[in-house]
């Protein structure tokens, strides 16, 4: 079986066995059978527990071998590590080819745990089965109602494919929900980044791949696959364990050797993987690569209700090696006609005095500014700092601005909204298709990465 | 009159004249008379407008000289710059000693504007009047119901004193409300940072001073005052116009010469001013210096529901030159007794496997971890990454944790909550007194600055 077919058993199973399912139910029972039912999993669910007749209303089997039909995926949610090899053996005897091991205390722990992890690999060797984990929450696929995590997970259906080494991301980090598909490779004893990447590579439901990396075992294999995949779909990565203190902590989390960060950083760049420096940036990059076009150059237009904000935006651009765009003469002249005589209309544009002078409303001036800046061949992107808008006008104003942006699909437009903008107003703008970020610094970081990715795609 | 008495005329006036008040009313009328009435200003309000009999129900006067009683503060909200010198002259003839000039087009604009700004200074010279602005929204003092801004402002009453050069901060940046008192020095033709700082220096309502700086004119005077004040109250500063692109934009905003950023940075450090690198950090530092104690050393304890989060927190600490604390043997032994045999209970602490093994609930284990880490003489602060808590339990759990922290008042405790934590749950924890931040990176930045300030206070 090729790796993609094998990964489909994990991600698109028709039947799932929970081998060692708990009989407890309700909050904090960590009952995966119950959770699969709650998520509305479409396929068959087989609880396996020698001491139960049924679990959550489903017939339970004493062992995996007793399950009548074929089983695509087995999840082993048992904490006592010494009992896990026998359960994996059961699964291989049942000829299950995709196995998730949830329990901890393997390569993430002591010598005995490392030996146990090797034992698991020995059991699957030659059987055609592949193993996800140990120490893994398994997989999630919202379009199939599939989530094997024993914790509470809120799933959305964005076209994102996540590969992570910590359950934290099933819990929704950096958003407040699992945004798309997910594969928790955790200790990565068998299934590693390369295999998981190949599943997403041609998956039509996945437009953006997000990685949480503690360490990579087979560097060369990873680079080969990642380099190929990132030409098809953007890959954004949060590489942690980047300091000695972090690497020490990683050793006891997934048993990973984190490697030297500068080498890792160079490898990610070489693969065209866009690296997020922290959790905030990961959230921003996910938003940006889902919604915004590539940035084709470094020249930014700044259209701001506030001169103070314009300064900060210019600073932020400079810090990310972006330029404050030089506008063409006709663009400046058109804006100058509306401006008080003492003001020079240029980039960055503080449109407040223009509005006062020309008696135009703030959204009217803002829209003209954004449109003129986008139309100018000297800009590659626009940062907009909007004024205060009454909540009842937001929906209409947002639609107007989306219309303006749509006329220039090759240039990213980012709004900086914080401070006087109520959270409800921001959410309403976002729901209408405006790409809002909480600070100009975070916008500049995002634009720089959009440009970096564009350069990668242009390179041979 | 000494500078503090003069500043009190601005900040605690018994009577305010709006010289050049508009007759328009309602949304976007920028009617300061109306806004003062809305805010519930306690003192007298005198609208001045030669073409109106009354404004917003108050008798209007043809000129400032016609006002019957004494006037502490005048605000001139007129846009036509050429008419402003006459209005300032009116104010000085009425012997008003505190004058806010709102209009733009002075040193922020062209040669004529620079000359006009000099003319204003000439008019007040020798009269005992001081001028705030031009290009200023004026002042805000929530405890007096005073806000001279013509824009909509939502005021809270935290013990914060803001000095800014942009109305953006009256609009609430970096929060969604003006958090305390505020002085917009804007072009800073006369009243500058040093004067405003002296008002807050011994003001009993101010515990924390926040600066937004585009540039400083009298560097030596600023340093002298700031160095003295920052020993009494923490001063947090966002210095913008730090790049050449930003400095160019500042030139046309407040006419400020921004200066070399490295020199500025050194000067701020020398004064004991804590510098925020960006808007997010400014928000974090305001929260930290209002709520948290100084951090006396560099040693951080990390108590986390997630091993993955613990790695990120350890990374974040290392990046800010903080140490992952080494715990004493008794602390580790006490935790080891509850842990699975394969796990080494240490710092960072991943308390999830301990909870599973010892059958303790997550809040119970978390509380024990945080308490033990705080009690250990090897830590100077604790970062806590909580698990998922059902909304109905949050209030009780929060109270328990606040109780734990209160027993160790000399050590900051910061919670990292994002991802699976719903915004409502986070807000509830915060309202109960838990100090929550959205990422471990932001916590580490905050802790490093709390320690930096502690070192400043310890130095001679």
């Amino acid at each position: 079986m090729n790796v993609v077919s094998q990964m489909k058993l994990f991600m698109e199973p028709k039947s799932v066995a929970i081998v060692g399912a708990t009989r407890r139910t309700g909050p904090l029972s960590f009952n995966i059978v119950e959770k699969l039912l709650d998520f509305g999993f479409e396929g068959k669910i087989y609880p396996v527990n020698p001491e139960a007749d049924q679990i959550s209303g489903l017939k339970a089997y004493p062992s995996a071998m007793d399950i009548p039909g074929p089983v695509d995926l087995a999840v082993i949610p048992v904490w006592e590590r010494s009992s896990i090899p026998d359960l994996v053996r059961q699964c291989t005897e049942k000829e299950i080819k995709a196995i998730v091991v949830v329990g901890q205390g393997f390569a993430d722990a002591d010598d005995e745990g490392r030996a146990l992890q090797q034992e698991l690999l020995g059991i699957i060797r030659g059987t055609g089965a592949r193993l996800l984990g140990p120490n893994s929450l398994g997989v999630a696929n919202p379009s199939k109602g599939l989530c094997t995590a024993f914790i509470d997970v809120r799933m959305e259906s964005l076209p994102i494919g996540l590969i992570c080494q910590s359950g934290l991301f099933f819990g929704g980090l950096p958003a407040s929900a699992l945004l798309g598909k997910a594969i928790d490779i955790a200790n990565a004893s068998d299934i590693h980044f390369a295999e998981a990447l190949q599943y997403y590579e041609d998956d039509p439901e996945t437009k953006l791949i997000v990685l949480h990396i503690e360490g990579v075992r087979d560097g060369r294999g990873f680079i080969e696959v990642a380099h190929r995949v990132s030409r098809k779909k953007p890959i954004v990565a949060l590489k942690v364990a980047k300091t000695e203190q972090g690497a020490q902590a990683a050793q006891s989390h997934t048993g990973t050797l984190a490697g030297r960060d500068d080498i890792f950083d160079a490898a990610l760049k070489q693969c065209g993987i866009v690296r997020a420096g922290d959790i905030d940036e990961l959230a921003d990059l996910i938003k940006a690569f889902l919604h915004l076009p590539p940035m084709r150059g470094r020249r930014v237009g700044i259209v701001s209700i506030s001169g103070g904000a314009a300064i900060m935006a210019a600073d932020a651009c400079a810090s990310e090696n972006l330029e404050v765009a030089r506008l063409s003469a006709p663009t400046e002249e058109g804006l100058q006609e509306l401006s008080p005589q003492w003001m020079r209309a240029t980039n960055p544009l503080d449109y407040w005095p223009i509005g006062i002078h020309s008696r135009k409303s703030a959204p009217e001036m803002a829209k003209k500014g954004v449109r003129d800046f986008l139309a100018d061949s000297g800009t590659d992107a626009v940062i907009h700092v909007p004024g205060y808008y009454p909540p009842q006008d937001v929906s209409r104003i947002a639609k107007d601005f989306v219309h303006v942006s749509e006329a220039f699909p090759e240039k990213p437009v980012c709004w900086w909204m914080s401070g006087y903008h109520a959270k409800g107003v921001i959410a309403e703008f976002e729901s209408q298709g405006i790409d809002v970020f909480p600070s100009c610094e975070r916008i500049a970081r995002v634009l720089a990465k959009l440009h970096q990715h564009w350069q990668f795609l242009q390179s041979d």
Side-chain angles (χ1 to χ4, degrees), chain A:
Chain A
M1 197 168 358
N2 74 24
V3 66
V4 174
S5 305
Q6 190 111 33
M7 288 306 302
K8 281 187 178 171
L9 293 177
F10 282 98
M11 299 302 290
E12 302 161 23
K14 295 192 174 51
S15 48
V16 179
I18 311 301
V19 180
T22 180
R23 282 174 296 180
R24 291 190 306 274
T25 56
L28 298 179
S29 66
F30 306 139
N31 182 331
I32 297 177
V33 174
E34 195 173 65
K35 293 212 180 293
L36 282 172
L37 291 168
D38 287 350
F39 284 124
F41 175 59
E42 297 168 352
K44 291 210 168 76
I45 305 171
Y46 299 113
V48 174
N49 182 328
E51 289 162 28
D53 292 329
Q54 61 170 37
I55 285 179
S56 300
L58 298 178
K59 179 175 164 50
Y61 299 87
S63 86
M65 280 93 82
D66 300 307
I67 297 171
V71 175
D72 287 342
L73 171 64
V75 181
I76 304 176
V78 170
W79 293 112
E80 178 48 52
R81 63 179 181 175
S82 62
S83 64
I84 293 173
D86 274 351
L87 298 176
V88 171
R89 199 168 288 116
Q90 258 185 43
C91 294
T92 59
E93 287 174 17
K94 174 65 186 168
E95 298 193 338
I96 301 173
K97 299 285 186 279
I99 303 169
V100 174
V101 175
V102 177
Q104 303 178 302
F106 291 88
D108 48 300
D110 53 1
D111 285 342
E112 190 181 332
R114 277 182 283 278
L116 267 175
Q117 187 164 309
Q118 282 306 314
E119 189 182 340
L120 300 186
L121 295 179
I123 293 167
I124 61 167
R125 191 170 300 132
T127 66
R130 300 294 302 257
L131 192 146
L132 188 61
N135 200 2
S136 167
L137 292 185
V139 294
N141 183 346
S143 66
K144 304 283 181 199
L146 174 72
C147 180
T148 65
F150 59 83
I151 57 170
D152 287 325
V153 172
R154 198 167 69 78
M155 289 201 288
E156 292 190 10
S157 294
L158 293 173
I160 295 174
L162 169 71
I163 311 171
C164 62
Q165 297 196 262
S166 165
L168 202 60
F169 292 82
F170 267 69
L173 202 71
S176 59
L178 191 57
L179 298 176
K181 297 184 178 185
I183 304 171
D184 179 6
I185 63 172
N187 284 14
S189 67
D190 181 31
I191 303 280
H192 216 297
F193 285 102
E195 289 85 351
L197 274 171
Q198 287 173 85
Y199 170 73
Y200 291 128
E201 179 173 5
D202 293 310
D203 175 40
E205 294 183 321
T206 303
K207 306 278 180 234
L208 167 66
I209 299 170
V210 177
L211 311 182
H212 159 253
I213 307 173
E214 293 188 358
V216 165
R217 197 182 46 234
D218 169 19
R220 199 186 290 186
F222 171 77
I223 287 174
E224 187 188 314
V225 173
H227 192 272
R228 185 179 78 226
V229 175
S230 67
R231 295 205 165 264
K232 301 183 184 176
K233 300 175 180 183
I235 304 176
V236 172
L238 184 73
K239 166 67 173 74
V240 303
K242 52 191 175 184
T243 66
E244 203 184 310
Q245 294 186 10
Q248 275 174 21
Q251 184 63 42
S252 62
H253 181 239
T254 51
T256 300
L257 288 174
R260 264 180 54 190
D261 196 64
D262 54 345
I263 294 177
F264 219 102
D265 198 66
L268 292 177
K269 273 213 185 67
Q270 188 194 330
C271 298
I273 294 179
V274 180
R275 184 172 184 178
D278 58 36
I279 291 290
D280 285 345
E281 189 178 12
L282 184 66
D284 294 340
L285 289 174
I286 289 172
K287 184 190 285 187
F289 278 96
L290 276 186
H291 299 165
L292 294 170
M295 184 170 171
R296 299 181 179 207
R298 304 192 164 279
R299 304 161 307 166
V300 182
I302 299 165
V303 178
S304 174
I305 184 77
S306 150
I311 295 168
M312 288 185 239
D315 269 342
C317 288
S319 299
E320 295 291 342
N321 200 21
L322 302 170
E323 295 160 21
V324 173
R326 184 190 284 270
L327 301 176
S328 70
T331 305
E332 292 199 343
E333 285 158 13
L335 290 162
Q336 190 65 54
E337 280 173 23
L338 299 168
S339 304
Q341 163 258 321
W342 50 259
M343 178 183 150
R344 193 179 148 227
T346 184
N347 181 31
L349 184 71
D350 173 2
Y351 61 81
W352 169 258
I354 311 184
I356 291 286
H357 179 78
S358 62
R359 299 196 174 275
K360 284 188 185 298
S361 72
E364 207 179 345
M365 262 319 302
K367 218 166 59 188
K368 179 173 171 53
V370 170
R371 188 194 294 109
D372 289 1
F373 273 48
L374 283 171
D376 194 298
S377 63
T379 65
D380 299 303
V382 168
I383 299 176
H384 175 46
V385 187
Y388 166 84
Y389 299 132
Q392 66 273 15
D393 296 347
V394 165
S395 168
R396 182 183 49 77
I397 291 171
K399 285 194 178 78
D400 278 0
F401 273 100
V402 167
H403 192 68
V404 169
S405 297
E406 278 170 355
F408 305 93
E410 78 290 359
K411 296 187 183 182
V413 179
C414 301
W415 288 35
W416 168 18
M417 293 183 84
S418 54
Y420 47 96
H421 301 291
K423 290 202 165 47
V425 167
I426 293 174
E428 175 67 18
F429 271 110
E430 288 191 300
S431 77
Q432 298 283 344
I434 300 285
D435 294 294
V436 180
F437 297 85
S439 77
C440 55
E441 292 89 359
R442 288 170 66 168
I443 291 176
R445 256 191 335 183
V446 154
L447 291 177
K449 297 284 166 80
L450 285 172
H451 182 56
Q452 176 194 317
H453 189 60
W454 168 257
Q455 288 182 304
F456 170 76
L457 292 177
Q458 298 310 107
S459 68
D460 292 329

